[in-house]
C-alpha cells in the first residue's frame, strides 16, 4: 500500500462579496491505494470542496496536497481519476455509449478500442444493451450508473464521487450501494466518496472522515472495516450500528446538529 | 381531454385553429375593403348625379381597378394570374420576382448566419473581444438600416464590386452574383447576423458548470470543449435565432430591391406598383412575400426538428 492522497495543513478561503469564507481549514489526511474513504458532514462542512481540491477543480490557498506523489494539477493532466458528480451530467445529445466514449475520444483512443471499452464498462455497471439509448430514456439510477461507467472507462486508478446517489430514492440508493461495493472489490480502485448519509458511509467505507462546518475541518477519522463480502443485511448487525453511532456522535461533537 | 389521432387529429389541432384565424382575417379584410373603397364609389355616383343602392355599392367596392384596399379575391386572382398563368421567365411573373428575392435572401442569410456564428465564437473565447465587440454589435442594430439601405445600395452599385473580379469571370454567373445579388444580400446579412450572434453567445455559454468541470477532469483542450460540449449545446439556440434571421433576411432583400431602379424582385414589384397606383400589384407582392417568409421559417423549423431528432433531443 502506498499513499495516493496526502494533504498537509490544507487551507482554502473563498473571497466573496460578503467577505472571506473559510471553506477548508487545517486539513490533514492521507489516503492509501485501494481504500474506500468517505467524507461525511452537514452541508457547508467543505466535503465537496475537499474533493474538488483533490480533483484540481479548486486551488487551495494554504498548506500542501499531493495526489499520486505529484500536484493535483499534474495528476489531473495525467488523468489520474474519474469524477462522478451529484447529477449524472450525461450529455443529452449523446447516446449512453456516446457518453462513455466521450473521455476516450478526448484522450485520442482509437475507434475499435473505444467500442470494446464501452462494452466492457457497460457490462461492469449492468447496463449491457443500453448503449444506443439516449439518457432521457433511462431512469435516474441507470443514468448515474452510466456516469460511473463513463468515469471508469479510461481505467483511472482513482474514483472521486461527489454525493453520486444523493438525488436518488432510498431503494435505488441501497441497490447502487451494493453494486458499487462489488465494483470496488472487482476493480481495486481507490475511492473517495462524499456523502451525507450515515448508513451509506458506514456500509461502503474502509475509513470515514467526519467533517464539521464553519470553518470546514476534519473532526474525526473513524476506521470502519466490516470485512469484504458485505450485503445490505449487515446494516442490522451490532458492529454496523456501533460504527454508525460513533459517526453520529462525531457529527454531534462537531456541532453538525446545532442550529 | 380525449386524445385525437390521425386525420381528425390534424383537423382539430392544426386546420381548425389556423383556419379560424384566417377566416377572421379574411372577413375583416372584406369589411375594411368596403369601408375604405366606398368614398370613391359615392363620389363617382355623386358626379354622375345618380343614386347608388347599398348592395351595388358593396359589390362595386370589391371590383375597383385601383382600390384603396383591394379585396382578398382580387389579390388572389392577381397572384393566380401572375404565377400559374405566366411563364416563370416572364418579367410579369411573380415566381420570377420571388425567385430573385429569394436568391439574395438566402445568400444574405448564409452570410449573416456565418458572421453571427463567427462573432459569437470569438466573443465566447475572448474576454477582450466580449468587452469590445458586444457593444458594437448592439449599436449596429440601432442604425436604422432600413432607412439607409437605399443609399447603401446606390453606393455599392456605384462602386460596382464586380470590378474587383478577375477578367476571366466577366459575363459569368459569378459576376451576376457579385454585381446584382451581393449588394442586396449584404443588407440581409447586416440584419440577420444580429439575432444569430446574440443567440449563439448565449448558446455557447449554456453548458452548465458540471459539464464544463467534467471536460476539465479529462484535461481536454479548448477545441475539444468547443466541439464536444459548447457547439452541441448551442444547436437549439442556433435554430431559434436562424428562424428570426431568415425572416429578417427577406425584409432586407426586399428593402435592398427598392432603389435598384426597380428592375426585379418583390421589392421592385412593390415600387412599380406604388409608382403607378397599382394597389392590387402591391398587395399581391406583399402577400407573396409573407408566404415566402412563412415557407422559409417553416423550412428552418423542419431542419431544426430533423437535427434535434438526430441529436436525441426531440421528445
Amino acid at each position: 500500500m502506498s499513499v495516493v492522497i496526502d494533504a498537509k495543513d490544507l487551507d482554502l478561503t473563498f473571497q466573496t462579496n460578503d467577505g472571506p469564507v473559510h471553506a477548508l481549514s487545517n486539513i490533514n489526511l492521507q489516503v492509501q491505494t485501494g481504500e474506500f474513504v468517505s467524507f461525511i458532514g452537514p452541508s457547508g462542512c467543505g466535503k465537496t470542496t475537499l474533493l474538488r481540491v483533490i480533483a484540481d477543480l479548486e486551488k487551495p490557498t494554504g498548506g500542501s496536497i499531493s495526489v499520486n506523489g505529484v500536484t493535483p494539477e499534474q495528476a489531473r493532466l495525467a488523468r489520474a481519476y474519474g469524477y462522478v458528480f451529484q447529477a449524472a451530467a450525461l450529455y443529452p445529445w449523446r447516446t449512453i455509449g456516446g457518453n462513455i466514449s466521450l473521455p476516450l475520444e478526448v484522450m485520442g483512443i482509437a475507434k475499435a478500442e473505444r467500442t470494446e471499452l464501452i462494452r466492457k464498462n457497460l457490462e461492469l455497471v449492468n447496463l449491457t444493451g443500453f448503449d444506443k439509448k439516449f439518457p432521457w430514456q433511462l431512469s435516474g439510477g441507470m443514468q448515474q450508473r452510466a456516469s460511473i461507467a463513463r468515469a471508469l472507462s479510461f481505467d483511472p486508478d482513482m474514483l472521486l464521487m461527489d454525493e453520486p446517489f444523493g438525488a436518488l430514492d432510498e431503494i435505488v440508493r441501497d441497490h447502487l450501494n451494493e453494486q458499487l461495493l462489488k465494483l470496488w472489490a472487482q476493480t481495486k480502485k481507490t475511492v473517495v466518496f462524499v456523502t451525507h448519509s450515515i448508513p451509506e458511509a458506514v456500509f461502503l467505507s474502509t475509513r470515514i472522515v467526519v467533517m464539521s462546518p464553519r470553518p470546514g475541518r476534519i473532526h474525526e477519522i473513524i476506521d470502519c472495516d466490516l470485512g469484504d463480502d458485505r450485503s445490505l443485511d449487515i446494516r442490522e448487525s451490532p458492529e454496523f450500528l456501533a460504527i454508525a453511532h460513533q459517526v453520529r456522535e462525531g457529527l454531534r461533537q462537531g456541532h453538525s446538529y446545532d442550529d | 381531454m380525449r386524445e385525437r389521432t390521425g386525420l381528425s387529429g390534424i383537423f382539430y389541432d392544426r386546420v381548425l385553429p389556423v383556419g379560424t384565424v384566417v377566416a377572421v382575417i379574411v372577413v375583416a379584410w372584406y369589411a375594411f375593403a368596403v369601408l375604405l373603397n366606398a368614398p370613391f364609389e359615392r363620389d363617382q355616383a355623386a358626379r354622375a348625379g345618380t343614386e347608388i343602392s347599398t348592395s351595388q355599392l358593396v359589390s362595386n367596392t370589391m371590383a375597383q381597378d385601383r382600390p384603396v384596399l383591394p379585396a382578398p379575391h382580387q389579390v388572389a386572382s392577381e397572384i393566380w394570374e401572375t404565377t400559374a398563368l405566366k411563364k416563370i421567365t416572364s418579367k410579369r411573373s411573380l415566381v420570377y420576382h420571388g425567385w430573385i428575392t429569394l436568391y439574395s435572401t438566402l445568400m444574405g442569410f448564409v452570410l449573416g448566419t456565418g458572421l453571427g456564428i463567427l462573432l459569437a465564437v470569438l466573443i465566447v473565447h475572448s474576454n477582450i473581444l466580449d468587452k469590445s465587440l458586444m457593444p458594437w454589435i448592439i449599436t449596429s442594430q440601432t442604425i436604422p438600416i432600413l432607412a439607409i439601405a437605399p443609399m447603401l445600395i446606390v453606393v455599392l452599385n456605384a462602386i460596382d464590386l464586380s470590378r474587383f473580379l478577375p477578367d476571366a469571370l466577366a459575363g459569368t454567373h459569378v459576376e451576376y452574383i457579385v454585381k446584382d445579388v451581393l449588394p442586396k444580400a449584404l443588407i440581409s446579412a447586416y440584419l440577420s447576423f444580429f439575432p444569430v450572434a446574440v443567440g449563439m453567445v448565449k448558446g455557447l455559454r449554456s453548458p452548465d458548470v458540471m459539464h464544463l468541470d467534467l471536460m476539465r477532469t479529462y484535461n481536454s483542450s479548448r477545441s475539444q470543449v468547443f466541439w464536444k460540449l459548447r457547439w452541441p449545446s448551442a444547436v437549439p439556440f442556433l435554430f431559434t435565432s436562424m428562424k428570426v434571421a431568415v425572416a429578417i433576411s427577406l425584409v432586407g432583400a426586399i428593402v435592398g430591391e427598392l432603389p435598384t431602379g426597380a428592375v426585379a424582385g418583390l421589392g421592385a414589384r412593390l415600387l412599380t406598383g406604388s409608382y403607378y397606383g397599382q394597389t392590387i400589384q402591391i398587395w399581391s407582392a406583399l402577400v407573396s412575400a409573407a408566404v415566402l417568409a412563412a415557407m422559409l421559417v417553416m423550412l428552418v423549423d423542419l431542419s431544426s426538428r430533423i437535427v434535434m431528432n438526430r441529436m436525441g433531443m426531440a421528445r
Side-chain angles (χ1 to χ4, degrees):
Chain A
M1 291 234 284
S2 61
V3 179
V4 190
I5 299 165
D6 191 2
K8 287 195 187 78
D9 305 325
L10 201 65
D11 267 296
L12 198 158
T13 310
F14 289 115
Q15 299 298 334
T16 69
N17 291 334
D18 297 338
V21 172
H22 260 284
L24 294 174
S25 168
N26 203 22
I27 301 284
N28 285 291
L29 176 70
Q30 282 198 340
V31 177
Q32 317 280 332
T33 42
E35 269 196 293
F36 197 122
V37 176
S38 290
F39 301 164
I40 191 166
S43 46
C45 73
K47 53 194 192 302
T48 293
T49 310
L50 181 54
L51 194 73
R52 288 175 65 86
V53 169
I54 296 168
D56 188 39
L57 295 173
E58 306 284 356
K59 300 271 188 226
T61 48
S64 68
I65 179 165
S66 71
V67 176
N68 284 343
V70 293
T71 65
E73 184 176 9
Q74 285 165 322
R76 176 175 65 85
L77 298 185
R79 286 143 181 171
Y81 64 84
Y83 201 100
V84 179
F85 292 88
Q86 286 171 355
L90 299 168
Y91 289 4
W93 55 86
R94 281 176 174 252
T95 59
I96 296 302
N99 269 288
I100 294 168
S101 166
L102 177 73
L104 307 172
E105 287 168 30
V106 169
M107 292 168 195
I109 290 165
K111 180 94 173 48
E113 199 179 339
R114 287 209 303 266
T115 314
E116 175 55 24
L117 284 170
I118 292 166
R119 192 199 56 74
K120 200 183 101 187
N121 284 287
L122 278 176
E123 194 184 302
L124 209 58
V125 296
N126 292 329
L127 280 178
T128 303
F130 284 91
D131 60 325
K132 295 279 190 292
K133 292 267 190 272
F134 280 103
W136 60 273
Q137 294 171 300
L138 269 62
S139 69
M142 288 160 101
Q143 287 186 21
Q144 198 51 283
R145 261 147 62 194
S147 100
I148 294 171
R150 177 180 62 186
L152 289 171
S153 63
F154 53 97
D155 200 24
D157 297 329
M158 199 176 14
L159 205 52
L160 305 180
M161 306 178 89
D162 182 9
E163 292 183 34
F165 310 136
L168 304 173
D169 67 65
E170 199 167 342
I171 299 163
V172 175
R173 180 193 279 233
D174 281 352
H175 180 60
L176 290 187
N177 280 343
E178 250 186 334
Q179 287 196 331
L180 180 61
L181 210 54
K182 279 199 197 106
L183 201 74
W184 175 62
Q186 227 175 317
T187 57
K188 309 258 187 293
K189 306 260 183 228
T190 311
V191 181
V192 183
F193 190 93
V194 169
T195 180
H196 48 221
S197 154
I198 297 173
E200 187 171 68
V202 178
F203 179 67
L204 290 171
S205 315
T206 55
R207 272 199 301 159
I208 299 170
V209 176
V210 180
M211 298 182 71
S212 65
R214 287 178 293 276
R217 62 194 185 278
I218 294 178
H219 175 75
E220 187 182 6
I221 298 178
I222 297 169
D223 281 320
C224 165
D225 209 344
L226 295 172
D228 300 339
D229 222 28
R230 280 164 265 181
S231 71
L232 285 171
D233 301 334
I234 203 171
R235 299 206 292 195
E236 273 107 57
S237 73
E239 297 92 329
F240 183 96
L241 294 173
I243 297 171
H245 178 73
Q246 208 183 339
V247 173
R248 191 168 285 113
E249 278 305 303
L251 287 170
R252 184 166 290 135
Q253 284 159 21
H255 304 288
S256 299
Y257 295 111
D258 294 1
D259 286 329
Chain B
M1 214 175 84
R2 197 163 60 89
E3 279 283 316
R4 296 194 180 95
T5 50
L7 271 181
S8 86
I10 292 172
F11 179 76
Y12 282 107
D13 293 345
R14 298 288 176 96
V15 180
L16 197 62
V18 174
T20 309
V21 173
V22 169
V24 169
I25 290 174
V26 167
V27 168
W29 190 344
Y30 270 114
F32 274 104
V34 171
L35 215 63
L36 291 169
N37 299 334
F40 175 79
E41 291 300 330
R42 287 207 195 91
D43 207 32
Q44 290 291 92
R47 279 185 202 186
T50 54
E51 280 289 308
I52 185 163
S53 70
T54 309
S55 63
Q56 188 60 41
L57 180 78
V58 169
S59 78
N60 280 3
T61 54
M62 294 179 190
Q64 294 177 1
D65 264 351
R66 293 177 182 186
V68 177
L69 178 65
H73 70 266
Q74 288 178 295
V75 174
S77 79
E78 164 80 4
I79 291 178
W80 174 252
E81 273 168 36
T82 50
T83 52
L85 303 182
K86 289 272 184 313
K87 269 201 285 188
I88 57 165
T89 49
S90 157
K91 291 271 189 291
R92 302 209 48 188
S93 162
L94 261 185
V95 178
Y96 165 79
H97 292 286
W99 166 247
I100 302 265
T101 303
L102 180 66
Y103 199 68
S104 53
T105 298
L106 290 179
M107 193 167 161
F109 172 64
V110 169
L111 287 174
T113 303
L115 179 66
I117 292 172
L118 181 73
L119 286 171
V121 170
L122 291 175
I123 284 169
V124 167
H125 285 93
S126 157
N127 267 328
I128 298 168
L129 288 177
D130 183 20
K131 292 208 170 69
S132 59
L133 275 182
M134 209 55 195
W136 287 108
I137 289 175
I138 311 272
T139 312
S140 76
Q141 300 303 304
T142 65
I143 298 170
I145 183 73
L146 294 181
I148 62 165
M151 275 189 279
L152 210 65
I153 292 288
V154 171
V155 170
L156 285 171
N157 280 344
I159 295 172
D160 187 5
L161 296 169
S162 63
R163 276 191 304 160
F164 305 111
L165 287 175
D167 288 343
L169 290 171
T172 63
H173 192 64
V174 178
E175 192 196 13
Y176 164 74
I177 288 176
V178 172
K179 196 174 167 160
D180 292 334
V181 185
L182 195 58
K184 292 188 283 172
L186 286 177
I187 308 271
S188 295
Y190 188 92
L191 288 170
S192 62
F193 91 92
F194 180 71
V196 175
V198 173
M200 281 304 275
V201 167
K202 188 144 175 59
L204 292 171
R205 284 191 178 143
S206 67
D208 61 40
V209 179
M210 225 183 263
H211 285 159
L212 285 164
D213 275 347
L214 186 70
M215 291 305 274
R216 191 172 147 85
T217 69
Y218 302 147
N219 179 25
S220 37
S221 67
R222 271 186 147 199
S223 78
Q224 284 170 327
V225 174
F226 181 81
W227 289 114
K228 295 193 188 298
L229 177 57
R230 289 192 189 276
W231 180 257
S233 329
V235 166
F237 293 81
L238 177 63
F239 279 107
T240 308
S241 39
M242 276 183 0
K243 265 189 240 173
V244 180
V246 79
I248 213 170
S249 283
L250 183 71
V251 173
I254 289 175
V255 170
E257 281 161 356
L258 291 178
T260 44
V263 185
L266 292 176
R269 291 290 282 180
L270 286 174
L271 197 68
T272 52
S274 74
Y275 276 165
Y276 304 109
Q278 298 283 357
T279 44
I280 299 178
Q281 183 186 323
I282 297 177
W283 279 89
S284 59
L286 278 178
V287 169
S288 334
V291 169
L292 197 58
M295 286 192 325
L296 287 171
V297 173
M298 267 156 49
L299 212 63
V300 174
D301 193 52
L302 183 72
S303 45
S304 152
R305 277 160 203 261
I306 292 169
V307 171
M308 297 301 235
N309 204 20
R310 283 203 167 183
M311 288 175 80
M313 295 204 280
R315 308 269 160 101

